[in-house]
Amino acid sequence: MAAFGSFALLLALALAAYNLLAGSLALRLIATGQPTVGSPERLAETARRAGIAGFAAVTAAAFALVWSVFANDFSITYIAEHSNRALPAIYKFSALWSGQEGSLLLWAWLLGAFGFVLRLRHKQDPKLYAYAGAILAGIQVFFLAVLNFAAPPFALLPDFVAGGFIPADGNGLNPLLQYPEMVIHPPLLYLGYVGFSVPFAFALGALMMRYPGEKWIKITRRWTMVTWLFLTAGIFLGMHWAYAVLGWGGYWGWDPVENASLMPWLTGTAFLHSVMMQEKKGMMKNWNVWLIFSTFLLTLLGTMLTRGGLVSSVHAFAASSIGYWFMAFMVIVLAVCIFTYILQRGHLQSEEHLESMVSRESSFLFGTLVLLAACFVILWGTLFPILSEFVGGNKIEVGAPFYNGVAVPIGLFLLLLAGVGPLLPWRGVSLGRVRRNFVLPLIVLEITAAVCLGVGVRPWKDGLFDQSSFFALVAFALSAGVLTALVSEFLRGARVVAKQSGRNLAWAKLQLIRRNPRRYGGYIVHIGVVMVAVGLAGAAFNRSVEGEMALHDKIYLGSYTLECAGFTADSNANYNSEYALLDVSKGGRKLFQMAPEKRVYLASEQPQTMVAIHSVPGWDLYVVYEGADPSTGQPIIKAFLNPLVSWIWAGALLMTLGTLVALAPGQKPAARKRFADTPATEEVFQP
Amino acid sequence: MTPPQGLLCGVLLLIALMVYTFWPVKVFASQREKPRLEYLLERREQLDESLRDLDFDFRAGKFAEAEFQVQRAQLENETAQMLAEIEQLRQALRLAGNDER
């Protein structure tokens, strides 16, 4: 299979290179109108087909790697290093992205899959699709070149090449990855990263060909939203994985690789909002082009940070020299973007201008500025260790206090805008009119702040100002205000529909979403964001206790009592494990038992914590078995009481639901359908 | 799968993909420039949507009557200019069609 896989990868590279060169040549010939021997459109068609064939070749390579993992072919270095015989079947799939070579192959395969769909739909606008297809082929050439020459997934073990020796078993999968969410978290994140290649290719293509109008935004709208959804789901799954596996009681540590996924999410979110202004009013064209260019570059940076070995991180599973390949590619991409922009910037003049500061447009503008500011701060913090080492020779790490000090206020401002934006109409409105819509949210905000102060959420502790409690108080009050604003916006719309149709309010709400799923799906996403903000604010009140526990020893945390009911051990072909059995009671009544676990994987001999979590809407009881104290032999238990964590996961689900609603096609008015049906393409018949 | 078998499978894949890529097709999409009429029709669709949003926001109480009337007049004016140009281009197309006949 190694020979077949390597050959398929080489073939895929050749096809991608042909797609790029023939596609570019055909577009050049069509643009200049030079007389040619054959039809340049026929050449463009072979380029398009090469892109589709390239996807088949990469699929064959990916299939060969998965097949080899399942066949336990330890003559292949990658498989010997990332799998073993006892590895459960579901994690054998994870081996595809657990190492550098495999994850790059996944990148290339996903890019091929996106390109495949795009090339099948080319009749929507053949010329624009041809430009986008050639740009995607350029990106694919890079990834396949890395796979063929710098990080080959089918490289054979040196011992096997020298003497035919094949190890009896592999090193096994990294224990951190042997967790159910890890089967879907990396592919989702990669779908998000790779997906941004598509709007990037369309934006760059549209700029290169001076595409008239904003139809490219309409074409890529769903791509961008689906991509954003994948990235969002991937980030939240990663947070949940960190929470459930790493055992430190938190879900976000401002790790460089976490930051790497957050940065394109921030610029992608900015793009999703800002591009609406271009679509509706032909505004912000320069801004949008650079937002999507930056987003794509940040996805490359994210891949480089994860796989290039530039930063130390719990997530950077493979360190190597491919960082230089990525750096070179990023420089090339940036150069192409700058060159195209300089050449075609005249095409990006706004058709309209900002009419009022009190408008939906201005709220989008502020929102995108704030998102960009957040992205810049995170980028600075992430790259600072590398820059400080480069300049001064000392690596200065930037920790959570830096990020929290800047990102939390920015996040709170964004939360405010999530509520303000929907209340403002497009084009602008007088302040007096808009004030009316803000009265109720402001009252709710003030009442919530008062209630929070009343129940003990106060911005001071022992007479001193406490920043985290202050931020939490602001977050709770703002969340209540924003939620009221969003719900009242829903109700206002539903009342109009109810009045028009004479039906009840519940039917009207559903009808409202059906009529404009994009707008109201977006509001559902905003409600999800509010829930996430409430959950994050809860972290200000986390409590923990740690202690050695002999049989029947007790520890107390909040209203819970944890009593040690015993210890036990287990083993299977993949790992040995030790459990602590803890009876949890409240007010003297036994409620449930928790079993935090520590595993030692046999193939890699690496330990792994399996946290026990009991989750209710108000808080999580989170218990870690840290192993035995070497001096006393007593097991050490660390327990956390983390308020409102489940709100984060519920908010993430709501964000997913909202995006799915926004993706749904809206009801089309009859008058509009006539224009939508206008054919965009024609076919050329040649004998 | 032995290396020779792997290479044989690879060669078969190569042949299949080359045939698919370079098979002479008789019908393929035209790479024509997008005409202005098509652009205007897209823009008009957008203006229709803006008008509908404006009406809805007014009924939802986001605008005072006077503000709404001003904004609606602006959008209607823009739409009227666009419709005039669309009609002009269609007429030109019809004339060109008659000439060819």
Side-chain angles (χ1 to χ4, degrees):
Chain A
M1 264 305 184
F4 175 68
S6 300
F7 189 84
L9 273 182
L10 206 57
L11 181 57
L13 175 62
L15 286 162
Y18 178 79
N19 184 180
L20 172 65
L21 296 174
S24 307
L25 180 64
L27 287 168
R28 178 86 193 137
L29 291 172
I30 291 166
T32 55
Q34 283 172 9
T36 52
V37 181
S39 155
E41 280 155 336
R42 198 187 286 277
L43 184 65
E45 176 62 13
T46 62
R48 185 184 76 84
R49 284 173 169 244
I52 293 172
F55 170 57
V58 184
T59 304
F63 171 76
L65 193 67
V66 174
W67 179 278
S68 303
V69 175
F70 276 90
N72 295 314
D73 185 353
F74 300 121
S75 66
I76 298 172
T77 310
Y78 183 79
I79 294 173
E81 285 175 357
H82 296 99
S83 181
N84 63 312
R85 290 182 190 279
L87 191 67
I90 190 77
Y91 296 127
K92 293 217 170 191
F93 276 108
S94 306
L96 178 60
W97 49 82
S98 62
Q100 179 176 280
E101 296 85 351
S103 59
L104 288 171
L105 181 55
L106 179 68
W107 228 107
W109 183 76
L110 291 173
L111 187 61
F114 280 125
F116 173 70
V117 177
L118 181 138
R119 288 174 182 111
L120 286 185
R121 295 168 60 92
H122 73 122
K123 285 187 178 174
Q124 243 182 331
D125 196 319
K127 195 168 182 184
L128 179 61
Y129 273 75
Y131 269 93
I135 292 163
L136 281 183
I139 302 168
Q140 188 69 304
V141 164
F142 164 72
F143 277 95
L144 289 168
V146 173
L147 278 165
N148 276 285
F149 307 116
F154 296 100
L156 298 174
L157 274 176
D159 285 350
F160 173 69
V161 177
F165 167 76
I166 300 176
D169 205 354
N171 295 343
L173 188 68
N174 185 331
L176 287 170
L177 298 176
Q178 295 193 39
Y179 192 77
E181 272 154 291
M182 267 295 147
V183 180
I184 47 171
H185 159 63
L188 281 179
L189 217 51
Y190 271 70
L191 276 165
Y193 278 179
V194 181
F196 275 120
S197 310
V198 175
F200 165 77
F202 272 94
L204 185 59
L207 187 59
M208 280 176 171
M209 66 185 279
R210 300 177 75 87
Y211 187 75
E214 322 303 340
K215 194 181 165 193
W216 71 270
I217 297 173
K218 223 168 212 174
I219 293 171
T220 55
R221 186 202 291 158
R222 286 211 166 85
W223 286 98
T224 314
M225 280 163 68
V226 168
T227 295
W228 184 88
L229 176 62
F230 283 135
L231 195 55
T232 307
I235 289 172
F236 278 104
L237 274 173
M239 285 169 74
H240 194 265
W241 166 80
Y243 185 60
V245 169
L246 297 183
W248 60 281
Y251 34 74
W252 191 267
W254 295 110
D255 178 279
V257 174
E258 289 173 342
N259 296 349
S261 64
L262 186 61
M263 287 185 283
W265 185 88
L266 290 168
T267 51
T269 307
F271 175 72
L272 265 178
H273 286 85
S274 177
V275 84
M276 276 191 259
M277 287 196 270
Q278 184 171 345
E279 193 183 343
K280 269 194 177 291
K281 300 182 70 181
M283 288 168 63
M284 312 290 293
K285 293 180 183 177
N286 288 287
W287 186 250
N288 290 329
V289 152
W290 278 105
L291 273 179
I292 195 62
F293 288 174
S294 313
T295 304
F296 177 66
L297 283 165
L298 286 168
T299 63
L300 291 178
L301 181 75
T303 314
M304 182 175 82
L305 288 176
T306 325
R307 302 297 167 196
L310 283 185
V311 291
S312 49
S313 156
V314 68
H315 302 77
F317 298 117
S320 81
S321 60
I322 64 158
Y324 295 106
W325 283 72
F326 272 88
M327 230 180 277
F329 184 57
M330 284 173 70
V331 169
I332 293 169
V333 171
L334 186 63
V336 170
C337 290
I338 292 173
F339 179 73
T340 311
Y341 176 75
I342 291 172
L343 211 64
Q344 311 284 35
R345 67 185 184 285
H347 178 64
L348 296 174
Q349 276 168 0
S350 284
E351 288 156 35
E352 289 186 45
H353 60 275
L354 198 62
E355 289 169 49
S356 162
M357 290 307 280
V358 190
S359 62
R360 182 75 60 91
E361 294 92 308
S362 68
S363 78
F364 279 174
L365 183 61
F366 280 125
T368 52
L369 277 172
V370 175
L371 283 162
L372 275 188
C375 181
F376 179 76
V377 168
I378 295 166
L379 182 67
W380 179 250
T382 307
L383 296 182
F384 192 75
I386 302 166
L387 295 175
S388 62
E389 192 177 22
F390 181 71
V391 175
N394 288 328
K395 198 176 213 172
I396 302 169
E397 297 286 344
V398 177
F402 164 78
Y403 292 107
N404 289 336
V406 187
V408 175
I410 289 177
L412 289 173
F413 189 61
L414 277 173
L415 183 64
L416 173 73
L417 287 175
V420 170
L423 295 181
L424 301 173
W426 288 98
R427 290 173 184 270
V429 68
S430 64
L431 261 178
R433 193 75 194 174
V434 92
R435 209 174 288 146
R436 233 177 54 164
N437 295 338
F438 280 97
V439 172
L440 184 63
L442 275 174
I443 291 172
V444 174
L445 186 149
E446 283 165 16
I447 291 172
T448 310
V451 169
C452 285
L453 286 167
V455 298
V457 182
R458 293 174 188 144
W460 61 85
K461 218 178 253 176
D462 306 324
L464 293 171
F465 175 72
D466 180 44
Q467 196 189 48
S468 56
S469 302
F470 170 73
F471 283 147
L473 175 68
V474 175
F476 290 143
L478 264 181
S479 297
V482 170
L483 187 65
T484 310
L486 292 166
V487 172
S488 64
E489 182 62 16
F490 253 109
L491 287 174
R492 245 192 305 275
R495 270 192 221 112
V496 173
V497 176
K499 203 172 156 187
Q500 277 177 336
S501 60
R503 307 284 290 266
N504 63 40
L505 210 58
W507 181 90
K509 274 185 219 159
L510 277 177
Q511 193 61 20
L512 188 69
I513 294 171
R514 281 186 66 197
R515 278 190 192 179
N516 198 343
R518 192 178 172 197
R519 181 197 278 203
Y520 292 98
Y523 291 174
I524 295 173
V525 174
H526 283 203
I527 294 174
V529 170
V530 169
M531 290 182 74
V532 171
V534 170
L536 295 175
F541 309 101
N542 284 358
R543 277 179 283 174
S544 67
V545 60
E546 185 176 5
E548 289 185 14
M549 289 186 89
L551 197 63
H552 301 305
D553 275 0
K554 289 177 181 171
I555 54 175
Y556 302 93
L557 187 60
S559 55
Y560 289 113
T561 303
L562 280 72
E563 182 180 348
C564 180
F567 298 95
T568 185
D570 199 1
S571 67
N572 61 32
N574 195 25
Y575 57 82
N576 294 330
S577 62
E578 288 176 26
Y579 299 84
L581 297 170
L582 303 169
D583 287 339
V584 181
S585 55
K586 203 173 183 179
R589 194 164 63 91
K590 188 185 160 188
L591 297 174
F592 49 87
Q593 192 172 64
M594 297 179 85
E597 182 188 352
K598 195 164 188 90
R599 292 177 181 172
V600 176
Y601 285 85
L602 301 175
S604 59
E605 295 178 350
Q606 288 182 51
Q608 178 59 43
T609 306
M610 301 302 280
V611 181
I613 303 171
H614 177 75
S615 193
V616 291
W619 54 80
D620 276 13
L621 181 60
Y622 178 103
V623 185
V624 185
Y625 175 51
E626 294 192 318
D629 183 325
S631 55
T632 62
Q634 300 273 35
I636 303 167
I637 297 294
K638 188 163 188 181
F640 298 78
L641 200 61
N642 298 336
L644 302 170
V645 175
S646 55
W647 284 60
I648 299 174
W649 319 131
L653 281 176
L654 205 58
M655 287 169 77
T656 306
L657 175 74
T659 314
L660 291 174
V661 169
L663 280 166
Q667 270 180 344
K668 267 188 177 175
R672 218 170 67 176
K673 203 170 181 318
R674 189 159 47 87
F675 297 107
D677 290 345
T678 310
T681 65
E682 61 191 37
E683 285 181 333
V684 170
F685 290 86
Q686 289 208 347
Chain B
M1 191 186 278
T2 60
Q5 284 171 333
L7 280 177
L8 182 67
C9 287
V11 170
L12 290 174
L13 181 71
L14 169 75
I15 293 167
L17 296 182
M18 289 301 123
V19 168
Y20 171 74
T21 305
F22 296 108
W23 189 262
V25 283
K26 289 185 178 170
V27 181
F28 42 84
S30 156
Q31 303 266 343
R32 70 191 169 93
E33 284 292 330
K34 186 160 101 178
R36 172 123 182 113
L37 180 61
E38 206 173 291
Y39 160 70
L40 289 174
L41 288 172
E42 283 166 23
R43 190 83 191 99
R44 160 128 203 216
E45 200 182 320
Q46 197 55 60
L47 278 171
D48 280 350
E49 202 177 302
S50 296
L51 273 166
R52 268 195 308 279
D53 282 349
L54 184 71
D55 287 350
F56 189 83
D57 282 342
F58 172 62
R59 284 199 289 270
K62 284 190 181 173
F63 291 106
E65 175 80 32
E67 281 173 330
F68 168 69
Q69 293 301 348
V70 171
Q71 297 216 3
R72 199 166 211 292
Q74 274 177 1
L75 278 174
E76 280 174 344
N77 192 28
E78 207 178 320
T79 311
Q81 283 177 2
M82 194 159 288
L83 283 174
E85 195 182 345
I86 288 172
E87 198 41 51
Q88 247 179 5
L89 288 170
R90 280 190 170 147
Q91 213 162 3
L93 274 176
R94 272 195 295 269
L95 284 174
N98 286 341
D99 285 352
E100 273 176 29
R101 249 177 267 148

